[in-house]
Amino acid sequence: EVQLVESGGGLVQPGGSLRLSCAASGFTVSSNYMSWVRQAPGKGLEWVSVIYSGGSTYYADSVKGRFTISRHNSKNTLYLQMNSLRAEDTAVYYCARVYCSSTSCYAGRGLYFDYWGQGTLVTVSS
Amino acid sequence: DIVMTQTPLSLSVTPGQPASISCKSSQSLLHSDGKTYLYWYLQKPGQSPQLLIYEVSNRFSGVPDRFSGSGSGTDFTLKISRVEAEDVGVYYCMQSIQPLQFTFGPGTKVDIK
């Protein structure tokens, strides 16, 4: 059974840093594309970042240069290092396994989120 | 960037009755490979989103057959043949034809009358 369990959320001051973790079971993180998606309070879903099985990483413009996605293969865990946090980064952060059904997965087309974790809340406030 | 719109934004349904949600994209989601990259998710109250439908009309594993997806190009529909109490929540459509531009619709909130 595929399971994703996020942790690491909390209250942080503007300009601060936080690292989120996502422990996976039932599949191998390093063999899959993995992503972070966030949801601001009462708002919709916003894609944040993806890491390919080959290690390539990509980010939404809103977090580029501030967030870093990574993984620890032996721990089967996904991470999101968040620096220079802003009030607008306040959200529930979900990790998700990414499935690709296209012939151009490397180009980022035809990717979708098939399994999601329960989310962890990040609040950026002074 | 592709913009996704959904109608209605809110829907109240009597149990056992059908429900339909429309999703429109600002550009065609049909790729030259023949696939259409449109997906549907349901976020139940207090839960994370769950995948219902992939590539317009394919039900994900474990999704009841009362859920069906249809459409083409820029116009898509999610139908629930007979709504049950457990179907309440917010339904989102999403596109992924644009590389690394996952775009979700605003969501349609479904509740029970």
Side-chain angles (χ1 to χ4, degrees), chain B residues 27-45:
Chain B
Q27 300 176 33
S28 176
L29 302 185
L30 172 63
H31 191 256
S32 56
D33 63 10
K35 294 186 177 182
T36 300
Y37 296 114
L38 185 281
Y39 311 87
W40 289 97
Y41 292 88
L42 165 60
Q43 186 172 30
K44 297 182 178 181

Side-chain angles (χ1 to χ4, degrees), chain A residues 57-78:
Chain A
T57 59
Y58 301 93
Y59 302 90
D61 288 343
S62 57
V63 306
K64 201 172 296 181
R66 300 187 298 122
F67 290 12
T68 302
I69 190 171
S70 64
R71 66 190 182 212
H72 193 300
N73 294 348
S74 63
K75 293 184 177 180
N76 210 34
T77 298
L78 179 73

Side-chain angles (χ1 to χ4, degrees), chain B residues 57-71:
Chain B
S57 59
N58 299 285
R59 277 189 301 276
F60 187 56
S61 174
V63 174
D65 61 7
R66 63 179 180 274
F67 290 93
S68 64
S70 63

Side-chain angles (χ1 to χ4, degrees), chain A residues 13-16 62-63 66 83-90 124-125:
Chain A
Q13 292 189 338
S62 57
V63 306
R66 300 187 298 122
N83 299 330
S84 302
L85 283 161
R86 308 166 180 167
E88 55 264 36
D89 295 319
T90 294
V124 184
S125 175

Side-chain angles (χ1 to χ4, degrees), chain A residues 54-124:
Chain A
S56 298
T57 59
Y58 301 93
Y59 302 90
D61 288 343
S62 57
V63 306
K64 201 172 296 181
R66 300 187 298 122
F67 290 12
T68 302
I69 190 171
S70 64
R71 66 190 182 212
H72 193 300
N73 294 348
S74 63
K75 293 184 177 180
N76 210 34
T77 298
L78 179 73
Y79 301 102
L80 185 67
Q81 177 66 43
M82 303 185 296
N83 299 330
S84 302
L85 283 161
R86 308 166 180 167
E88 55 264 36
D89 295 319
T90 294
V92 174
Y93 285 74
Y94 299 101
C95 73
R97 193 178 77 169
V98 179
Y99 189 83
C100 181
S101 58
S102 78
T103 55
S104 51
C105 301
Y106 63 93
R109 177 176 292 114
L111 308 184
Y112 60 98
F113 315 108
D114 60 353
Y115 290 96
W116 300 61
Q118 87 288 351
T120 187
L121 176 62
V122 173
T123 303
V124 184

Side-chain angles (χ1 to χ4, degrees), chain B:
Chain B
D1 289 359
I2 294 177
V3 176
M4 306 295 287
T5 58
Q6 291 181 231
T7 54
L9 297 182
S10 182
L11 189 57
S12 191
V13 187
T14 300
Q17 292 301 302
S20 180
I21 300 169
S22 171
C23 173
K24 296 184 188 296
S25 57
S26 59
Q27 300 176 33
S28 176
L29 302 185
L30 172 63
H31 191 256
S32 56
D33 63 10
K35 294 186 177 182
T36 300
Y37 296 114
L38 185 281
Y39 311 87
W40 289 97
Y41 292 88
L42 165 60
Q43 186 172 30
K44 297 182 178 181
Q47 296 186 21
S48 56
Q50 58 188 83
L51 177 65
L52 293 177
I53 302 284
Y54 62 95
E55 292 169 19
V56 180
S57 59
N58 299 285
R59 277 189 301 276
F60 187 56
S61 174
V63 174
D65 61 7
R66 63 179 180 274
F67 290 93
S68 64
S70 63
S72 63
T74 61
D75 293 339
F76 306 93
T77 302
L78 176 72
K79 292 182 179 178
I80 311 173
S81 58
R82 296 173 305 280
V83 172
E84 298 187 5
E86 65 181 24
D87 300 335
V88 299
V90 181
Y91 290 78
Y92 295 94
C93 58
M94 185 196 85
Q95 69 82 21
S96 70
I97 192 170
Q98 274 192 329
L100 300 171
Q101 297 289 331
F102 308 91
T103 311
F104 292 91
T108 295
K109 186 175 182 180
V110 174
D111 63 23
I112 298 295
K113 278 184 183 176

